[in-house]
Amino acid sequence: MKETWRWYGGLDRIGLDEIAQTGAAGVVTALHEIPYGAIWPRETIAARRAQIEAAGFDWTVVESLPIDERIKRGEGDLGPLFANYRQSMANLAAEGVTAICYNFMPLLDWTRTDLAAPVARGGTCLRFSAPKMAAFELHMLGRAAAEDDYPEDVRREAAVWFQRSDETERETLLTSIMAGLPGAYDRYDVAGLKAALARYDGLDRATLRAGYKRFLAEVTPAAEELGVRLCVHPDDPPRDILGLPRVVSNADDIAWIMAAVESPMNGLTLCSGSLGANPLNDVPEIARRFADRIHFAHLRNVAKAPDGSFEEAAHLDGDTDMVALIAALLDEEQRRRDAGRADSEIPFRPDHGHELLFDAARGAHPGYPLIGRLRGLAELRGVIRALAHQGASPSGPNPPRFSASTDAGDISPS
């Protein structure tokens, strides 16, 4: 598996010289400064690639080439937007990018209620509190329909939190939720968010799926011609938010997407944290089921609570069996090598991480500290090395093939 590291370019507080010390081979980045729907100029892509290569990395995965919200809403004449997206794909391919990570979440990207929740023995993590989210929707946003989205006990806790909170705490909650807005990093107050949500009135699951299928039909043929793999990122969290539907939340959703356009270029970013936040998702099993369509992987872990809350756990300590998941990905890599594919290696990155030691002082993007992710990468690297060593020498011409059961620790060469 190929180690990569997410970098936000000029917006990042962590430099390429520091990333080099993590041992990662590749950088995953994007042109975050370009507005949604606009063409990414080849010369701008080339300049970013040259900067990355000068620091000793390669850049083969873009995260992400965003989709204009009008495409998700099915609004207006979309032809020019699809044409722009295809041209950006062509410009990326011309500069050596072979995989494009994207998502199809309306309005918000990821959603958390706490950006610095304390963890045991020091440090902080990202957290999604179902009661706090319910408090925001019901008591701050005033979305009456949210009554149906939360069980009674969560609504009761939400009311208690709201009554006890002050304006500073409510503003912090709003800021945390707004941190998931992508692109140009626009942020809304409550009134602004209400206005933004109004543009999605009538957007139900069927409508969003129809828009998604049209998007795939418009861009997948170009991906096939360019040799670029599209890999959708799952919803984060994998549930409807603010009354907006989510359509990439579980195995059934992924199966629908893969069948919507039957092409090896229509693939998946396997995000173990996003999928792992749904208690019904067996993430290693999802990895095995869709292994041939996994073009990129985000490896992180979450610890879930019965009320729907979850928080970012250490990479090996959450609810997902990370060893079984990595074994499934290694097994797929071996299958690709057996098939003679030159591109058998699956790029991955340590996703998110706890803020540890001096991380908090750096002011990095929420979830993307230096030390916390370095710890995660080291742990993941250890699992990968151990699995590669088991049963055969990693220096041999044919690394071992593995199969993994869903029981932790039951991993054996096949």
Side-chain angles (χ1 to χ4, degrees):
M1 295 175 69
K2 180 179 178 179
E3 298 178 3
T4 68
W5 188 276
R6 189 172 191 181
W7 181 57
Y8 285 91
L11 302 172
D12 208 318
R13 301 289 181 88
I14 299 169
L16 289 172
D17 58 332
E18 295 174 294
I19 297 172
Q21 297 178 55
T22 71
V27 160
V28 173
T29 191
L31 304 183
H32 298 285
E33 64 276 15
I34 296 181
Y36 281 27
I39 295 173
W40 287 16
R42 181 173 176 181
E43 58 270 22
T44 308
I45 298 168
R48 178 63 60 84
R49 176 184 57 76
Q51 182 183 13
I52 290 168
E53 290 182 349
F57 302 98
D58 62 24
W59 178 27
T60 60
V61 180
V62 65
E63 186 180 346
S64 62
L65 181 59
I67 299 169
D68 192 282
E69 292 297 304
R70 288 170 288 180
I71 292 175
K72 298 172 188 176
R73 295 193 298 264
E75 176 184 289
D77 179 12
L78 301 179
L81 291 176
F82 289 127
N84 286 358
Y85 201 93
R86 289 190 293 265
Q87 186 60 57
S88 294
M89 290 170 57
N91 292 345
L92 285 164
E95 292 300 325
V97 172
T98 57
I100 295 174
C101 175
Y102 69 96
N103 74 71
F104 214 77
M105 291 178 273
L107 186 60
L108 291 177
D109 192 333
W110 52 270
T111 304
R112 299 292 187 274
T113 59
D114 300 89
L115 302 182
V119 297
R121 304 185 71 180
T124 64
C125 69
L126 301 181
R127 191 169 198 276
F128 178 89
S129 163
K132 279 189 177 182
M133 192 68 202
F136 178 78
E137 294 205 56
L138 291 166
H139 303 290
M140 294 174 62
L141 198 61
R143 193 175 75 83
E147 288 275 352
D148 298 330
D149 294 343
Y150 297 95
E152 182 180 354
D153 59 333
V154 171
R155 298 197 305 269
R156 186 165 53 248
E157 288 186 53
V160 170
W161 182 89
F162 182 74
Q163 291 165 3
R164 292 178 177 173
S165 63
D166 57 27
E167 285 303 316
T168 299
E169 290 171 311
R170 295 171 190 175
E171 185 62 31
T172 298
L173 176 58
L174 173 64
T175 299
S176 298
I177 293 170
M178 289 301 98
L181 279 168
Y185 304 100
D186 289 332
R187 298 294 180 260
Y188 299 116
D189 57 16
V190 169
L193 181 58
K194 286 181 178 180
L197 288 169
R199 295 197 292 270
Y200 295 82
D201 284 348
L203 182 71
D204 58 15
R205 180 178 176 83
T207 303
L208 187 60
R209 268 192 166 185
Y212 191 6
K213 188 169 185 177
R214 180 181 176 188
F215 167 77
L216 289 173
E218 291 276 357
V219 303
T220 305
E224 292 173 336
E225 293 176 8
L226 296 166
V228 170
R229 295 173 178 81
L230 299 168
C231 36
V232 64
H233 187 285
D235 303 325
D236 185 10
R239 52 164 291 170
D240 293 356
I241 291 289
L242 300 173
L244 300 174
R246 298 287 181 95
V247 294
V248 196
S249 293
N250 54 45
D252 289 343
D253 288 342
I254 296 169
W256 181 89
I257 294 162
M258 300 301 106
V261 174
E262 285 285 0
S263 168
M265 298 303 177
N266 173 27
L268 174 67
T269 295
L270 193 285
C271 180
S272 56
S274 296
L275 291 169
N278 183 337
L280 300 180
N281 285 340
D282 180 336
V283 182
E285 175 57 31
I286 288 174
R288 288 190 289 269
R289 178 176 174 183
F290 301 103
D292 62 333
R293 297 284 193 97
I294 295 173
H295 302 321
F296 183 35
H298 290 176
L299 299 183
R300 63 181 172 91
N301 225 322
V302 297
K304 299 183 288 293
D307 67 357
S309 302
F310 63 89
E311 66 180 32
E312 307 282 357
H315 286 72
L316 302 185
D317 292 344
D319 295 335
T320 294
D321 184 345
M322 190 62 69
V323 176
L325 173 59
I326 291 175
L329 296 176
L330 290 173
D331 196 52
E332 171 60 17
E333 284 190 330
Q334 184 60 51
R335 187 197 65 80
R336 296 177 188 186
R337 284 191 290 269
D338 291 345
R341 284 178 52 173
D343 59 345
S344 61
E345 200 170 38
I346 297 173
F348 80 95
R349 63 175 179 83
D351 196 14
H352 297 184
H354 292 171
E355 281 196 335
L356 304 173
L357 302 174
F358 62 75
D359 273 333
R362 296 296 297 272
H365 286 71
Y368 289 92
L370 176 60
I371 297 175
R373 281 188 291 165
L374 176 57
R375 173 187 170 181
L377 178 58
E379 291 177 343
L380 297 169
R381 180 184 293 146
V383 171
I384 293 167
R385 289 289 182 92
L387 290 173
H389 182 74
Q390 185 175 335
S393 169
S395 62
N398 294 308
R401 184 172 183 174
F402 297 91
S403 60
S405 79
T406 56
D407 294 323
D410 184 11
I411 299 173
S412 56
S414 60

